[in-house]
Each structure stands twice: as structure tokens, then as C-alpha cells.
Amino acid sequence: MFDGYDSCSEDTSSSSSSEESEEEVAPLPSNLPIIKNNGQVYTYPDGKSGMATCEMCGMVGVRDAFYSKTKRFCSVSCSRSYSSNSKKASILARLQVTGKPPTKKAKVLQKQPLVAKLAAYAQYQATLQNQAKTKAGNSAVSVEGFSWGNYINSNSFIAAPVACFKHAPMGTCWGDISENVRIEVPNTDCSLPTKVFWIAGIIKLAGYNALLRYEGFENDSSLDFWCNICGSDIHPVGWCAASGKPLVPPRTVQHKYTNWKAFLVKRLTGAKTLPPDFSQKVSESMQYPFKPCMRVEVVDKRHLCRTRVAVVESVIGGRLRLVYEESEDRTDDFWCHMHSPLIHHIGWSRSIGHRFKRSDITKKQDGHFDTPPHLFAKVKEVDQSGEWFKEGMKLEAIDPLNLSTICVATIRKVLADGFLMIGIDGSEAADGSDWFCYHATSPSIFPVGFCEINMIELTPPRGYTKLPFKWFDYLRETGSIAAPVKLFNKDVPNHGFRVGMKLEAVDLMEPRLICVATVTRIIHRLLRIHFDGWEEEYDQWVDCESPDLYPVGWCQLTGYQLQPPASQSSRESQSASSKQKKKAKSQQYKGHKKMTTSQLKEELLDGEDYSFLQGASDQESNGSATFYIKQEP
């Protein structure tokens, strides 16, 4: 925890042999304590000797902490390097005496101390200007941009933990990073021209973001700040000592303690910090196997019943911008995650009997190549030899064209490898062009009665007049049977989501957008995602393991643009046609009187036991282990 602070001894010797007189250095306004590169803590409480600038590297620090009797160098290495350069300059000077003109190198070496001071001063001025710009920028965040930290602090929100998102960076190796963990971060409360660090503790976690407080502030929250834990400037305690970086207390509390070493030893003994390989793990978790120019098969966004060939144009945080191969101007694109069930290897459609739009391009374009099949998400193997789904069976399914609704649906075609073509009753095209493909294990399809048991509004077939809708009557009228309950996905992971948690979510109706969102309902593994600032009609039902959900701070970490909550003015500016388009897909059916479980079971034709459907609705559930366990005879 504290290696490098207790074991290092102060070395005040100097190897410099230069006999030049020491030049006076004007002290900076503040006199700071500093923890030197070897980890030894120095303090400077009296403020009499001022600051000094290293004549070799230009680093500014407390004069008493510098090396040599004249306090001209910040470290032994700088002293030795300067000595070596001085000898070279001396040789060149002797050559000048013999009549040879001084070389350019000799002139530079002779002017080295002054150059270092000028460089340090210029850097100091630049730092002050940058700090002024930063303060101005921060003050405008609430007006011109969006800040997760301000949003969470002002509303006392909580965010979904990173461990809930297995597909996101560090999702599987986040560990026990929590409040009170100590880290080394840049010290922004400092006027030194070089970047210096100090130790801070985590006050609150929100996804990748953490609210930090510098050591020494205790209960003072005036300089608390938010940062992304996975950022490049965040390090475990001990990193500065190992890397030769200075630790400098914040200016606000620099005079609070006379012995900062003793203070840190007391505060950090027994405290937790990040794993030493944390930054390496972050880097590794952000390496993605998909590369530009790879070819894939992806759903045709204009005809969901078929796939097309597309080419990976770019990869951001595992999300792929795919351009359909026939798009000449490369604007006909589609966004999805590399683990999305909507993309497949070349040849997938033919292998399972799925519709496929053949490309007019007869040969691959230069540089394009087929993506290796092993890079795609694997689906669970199923046994179709026994009792299995059949064409015409009824079920309930999330409508891919209106993800806020779960609709009455029908299996239209059974494909190979467990894939099914499904249509929404009452809104299907005559040619089946709006059928869509779900795997039998998909969490987006449900047995008859799922919505009723879990108090979810079921959207009846368009034009169906016998309301309230009853499955018993509908199955009898259509001469259909319900798909067997035992064929549906029974797995409910311990996902960790809670109602009210904040996250960043893809708007699947416009998948290039990632928005500020909230979990508003949890039905076992099914999450109701609400986009902050928008009406509920734009909500989406999403599986807890969907690769389209991300922790707070994901966009900042990956460089993706985050859409902030919609303001009242932006909502009103949306065209009426856009809203009507969404409403047209869904019947404005407000529900009916709920039946009890026994009443529902009596109306089901197949006589199966539906007790597994019962579960917590709207509870802060992490997924009951008993849900989806059908009672076998």
C-alpha cells in the first residue's frame, strides 16, 4: 500500500562539479510541501527560502528539497546530467580559446540554465491560462453541455454498477472498487507549471465515474470533483513513487499539516487502492476484435425479414458502424454492438434458411474481407428433434418496430439452429416482409399469459374489436394453439439492476444515439428503459444482458457522443408526424380488469402449469431464481 514512502531516505549529496555561481530564482506566490520522486515527503512550512527551478529539467519545487548545496537540481540524475553537459561545454570553450569558432552545440550548452528557467516560466504562464479556461468551461457545463456528476448530485440519483454490464470495459473484472478506495490523481488545486499528483478518496461511485475528495480535506466538500476511474491519469497509490512523479498537497490545505508524511502514513495504512494492473486491464478490455473493412451479414433495416452484407466502417467502444455494401456514398449505415444478435458471419443466412438480399457487387471490394465466424456472439444450442415450436403457434413478443410494446404474435416459419421467424398479429405485410428473426432462447419472446401475470399491458392485434383481449377467446377464434411454455428461456441471471438506476442506453429506434436513461421497471430479466426527459411512449423493453446498455461514463470513456435528457422545448419541437408514426404501430389499448392466476390457467387451452410466470412486478428485483422454473409432473 505504502511502498516507497517509508523505505526511501533523503539524499542531499550532489555530483555536480560545476563552479558556476547560483542564479537567483524569483519565488512563486505559494510555498508548497512536496513529495519528491523517491517517495520521501518534504515539507516547507516557514516560507522563507521560496521556490527553486531545476536548471536541468525545469521542474519547480521547494528549494530546501533540491539537491546540492546551492539547491540547483531536483534530483541526483539531473545533477549528474548537468555536470556531464558542463564538462562538454568546457571542452568546447577550450576549443574556442585555441582559435576555433564555438559550435552551435556549445552555445546551447552554455545557455542551458537560462533556457530551463525561461521554459519553466513559459510553462507556468501556460498553466495559469489553461486553469482559467478550465474554470470558464466548467461554469458553462450546465448551460451548454451535460455533466453526469451534476445530474446525479443535484437529484441524488444512483447509477447501475459497472458489474451489471458484462460486455462493457471492465464489466467482468471491476472487482471491489467502492467508496473509500484511495487513488492518485492530478492535483488541480496547484499553481505549479508541471503536472503533479495527490491522493484522493472515492466518496461516491456512479458507473465509471467517481466523486473524489483530496486527502487533507476531511469533511470539507468544497473541492470535491468527479472523474472517470478508467481515465489515463488515475492510478493506484504508490504509482507516483514507482514512476518518479511528485506528490504535492492541494494549495487550499498545504499549511494544514506540518508533517505530510506522517499524515499520509496514518491515513493510508490499511486503506484499499486500485489493483496495480488496473490501467492494463482497462486497456485490454477496450481492445476489440472487429476491425474496419470486415464484412458481415446484418438485418436489413428497411425489410426486417432479410439480411444484407455490410462492411465495418468504424469501431467505437465495441459498437460498429456498418455500411451496407451497395451504398455508393457510404451513408446507408446501421449501428449495433459487436455482440448484437442482429449481425452474423457471411453465409449465416443460407445455413439456417433465412432470407438474404444478394448484393449487386459481384466481387469483394479491395481490402474488404469476411469476418471470422468465431468473433460473433454464440447462441445456446437447442434440441429441435423432440417437441418444438411449430408454424402457427401463438406467443407474446417485443415488437422490434415499437420496443415499448409487447404484442400478440405468431410463429411464421421455423428455421435451423433454433431460429424462428415471427410476425405481429394484425400488422403483417402480405409478403411477410415485416417478419423478424428471434432465436428460441431469445429473452424477447414470451409464452402466452406472460404479460397478464406480470401486469404488463399486452398490445392486441390491430383491428381486433373484442376488448378486453382474452387469450382463451382469441385462440379459439383463430384455431391456434399456444407455444409450449417449457420451450421458452428459463434463465434469470442475478443481474444487479434496481428500479431507479441510471445508465446510458441505445435508442434502438435510432441506434446511432446513446441517451441518458433510467430503469423504471424490472420483470425478472426484463428491464423497462425510460429516456430521461421524454414521454413514456418512447420507453423500451430491453433484456438485462443487452449489449445496448452501458454504465454511466461509457460515452466519455470511449469518446462516443452522449445525448442529454430532453428539455421541454426540445420535446415540443418534435414533429407531430414523428409521434403519430410511433403511435400508429401500437393500439392505444389501456388494459382491462386483471384476472387471477387460477382464472387465467382455466382459460388456457393446452392445460399447462403457468405457476412459473408468477413473480415480482415492479419490485427492486435482481431476478428470482424460482422464476421460469416450470413444475414438472
Side-chain angles (χ1 to χ4, degrees), residues 194-409:
T194 57
K195 179 185 290 187
V196 293
F197 293 79
W198 190 240
I199 297 169
I202 297 178
I203 303 299
K204 183 176 183 179
L205 269 178
Y208 294 117
N209 294 344
L211 180 63
L212 302 178
R213 181 175 300 169
Y214 288 122
E215 286 295 337
F217 278 80
E218 297 177 352
N219 296 323
D220 181 2
S221 61
S222 60
L223 286 186
D224 288 0
F225 61 99
W226 286 89
C227 76
N228 195 301
I229 289 294
C230 295
S232 59
D233 276 337
I234 308 302
H235 306 283
V237 172
W239 177 84
C240 284
S243 305
K245 303 292 183 180
L247 279 172
V248 178
R251 179 172 47 187
T252 304
V253 295
Q254 63 180 324
H255 299 299
K256 191 172 183 179
Y257 298 96
T258 58
N259 189 337
W260 282 99
K261 176 180 178 180
F263 170 79
L264 289 180
V265 170
K266 181 179 180 180
R267 290 285 296 172
L268 300 180
T269 299
K272 292 182 179 179
T273 188
L274 299 177
D277 58 347
F278 183 77
S279 60
Q280 179 182 347
K281 287 183 177 180
V282 171
S283 178
E284 292 174 352
S285 66
M286 295 183 68
Q287 302 299 315
Y288 308 104
F290 281 78
K291 308 296 180 185
C293 296
M294 283 184 171
R295 300 171 76 241
V296 301
E297 288 185 9
V298 64
V299 65
D300 187 339
K301 64 183 181 181
R302 294 181 179 83
H303 300 279
L304 298 184
C305 66
R306 69 187 184 188
T307 58
R308 296 172 60 183
V309 173
V311 179
V312 178
E313 179 75 11
S314 59
V315 183
I316 303 178
R319 301 201 77 226
L320 312 177
R321 178 178 180 259
L322 303 172
V323 176
Y324 290 113
E325 198 167 48
E326 293 176 302
S327 176
E328 295 181 358
D329 60 359
R330 309 193 70 76
T331 58
D332 190 8
D333 61 358
F334 183 81
W335 281 91
C336 68
H337 192 270
M338 63 182 184
H339 294 154
S340 169
L342 301 177
I343 61 171
H344 311 275
H345 62 85
I346 298 296
W348 173 84
S349 297
R350 176 181 294 181
S351 68
I352 70 163
H354 194 283
R355 288 188 190 180
F356 175 75
K357 181 185 178 183
R358 295 185 179 277
S359 174
D360 294 335
I361 301 175
T362 57
K363 62 179 181 179
K364 299 178 186 177
Q365 298 182 14
D366 292 341
H368 294 177
F369 58 99
D370 295 351
T371 306
H374 71 273
L375 297 184
F376 296 88
K378 302 294 187 298
V379 294
K380 185 178 179 180
E381 293 185 3
V382 294
D383 181 12
Q384 298 182 224
S385 61
E387 185 177 10
W388 193 242
F389 293 100
K390 293 182 175 61
E391 292 183 14
M393 284 182 171
K394 299 295 183 181
L395 70 164
E396 298 174 3
I398 297 176
D399 184 353
L401 295 179
N402 188 356
L403 295 164
S404 67
T405 62
I406 299 178
C407 306
V408 174

Side-chain angles (χ1 to χ4, degrees), residues 15 25 62 85 184 228 318 357 359 391 426 453 511-512 531 584 592:
S15 58
V25 180
V62 178
N85 289 342
E184 293 180 353
N228 195 301
K357 181 185 178 183
S359 174
E391 292 183 14
I453 293 295
R512 65 183 177 84
F531 298 106
H592 58 278

Side-chain angles (χ1 to χ4, degrees), residues 341 433 449 493 521 527 595 605:
S433 59
R521 287 193 70 181
L527 309 179
M595 292 185 292
L605 291 181

